[in-house]
Amino acid sequence: PTFSPAPSTPAPLPNAHVSSPRGSASSTGSLLVDSASKDVSRAERSVVKLRDAEGLLKEAADLYKAAGDVSRLRAAEANLSKVGTLLREAEWDEADKRKRLKELKFTSP
């Protein structure tokens, strides 16, 4: 059996031709900014939907109060409290996502 020495230069990596490390960092930064931007948009939509739900529950509570329907009024008030909590959390989440997006835009190459 014959023995052949190992090649002196390493074989190229499978995707070495796709991008340079510098281009890779730039595209990664861009992808992070795009992803963060989408996160902000989703958070905005969540806040809008919760504000809509809050408004509808307030209207329902007012109607139940006017009609003297105490049990439904209590249920509407309980749901209003839950939606209020969810709304505050969604607003905080949106603010955090906006802050992250701003930081990414500032530090992105």
Side-chain angles (χ1 to χ4, degrees), residues 63-84:
L63 290 172
Y64 294 140
K65 185 176 183 179
D69 192 338
V70 177
S71 63
R72 286 189 178 163
L73 173 61
R74 299 286 177 255
E77 288 173 340
N79 287 330
L80 188 56
S81 175
K82 291 175 188 174
V83 168

Side-chain angles (χ1 to χ4, degrees), residues 10-60:
L13 297 174
N15 291 324
H17 66 281
V18 172
S19 63
S20 68
R22 183 175 190 178
S24 177
S26 176
S27 64
T28 300
S30 177
L31 290 174
L32 288 173
V33 169
D34 289 346
S35 178
S37 180
K38 289 177 184 174
D39 286 346
V40 168
S41 295
R42 280 190 292 274
E44 288 171 344
R45 287 192 299 274
S46 293
V47 168
V48 167
K49 288 178 183 179
L50 286 166
R51 284 185 182 144
D52 289 346
E54 183 180 51
L56 291 172
L57 284 167
K58 283 180 181 177
E59 288 178 29

Side-chain angles (χ1 to χ4, degrees), residues 58-104:
K58 283 180 181 177
E59 288 178 29
D62 289 344
L63 290 172
Y64 294 140
K65 185 176 183 179
D69 192 338
V70 177
S71 63
R72 286 189 178 163
L73 173 61
R74 299 286 177 255
E77 288 173 340
N79 287 330
L80 188 56
S81 175
K82 291 175 188 174
V83 168
T85 300
L86 292 173
L87 176 58
R88 283 189 301 280
E89 290 172 359
E91 288 170 338
W92 293 332
D93 185 51
E94 179 188 6
D96 288 344
K97 288 182 183 338
R98 284 186 185 282
K99 181 180 175 187
R100 172 146 169 74
L101 176 60
K102 186 177 180 180
E103 290 169 353
L104 285 171

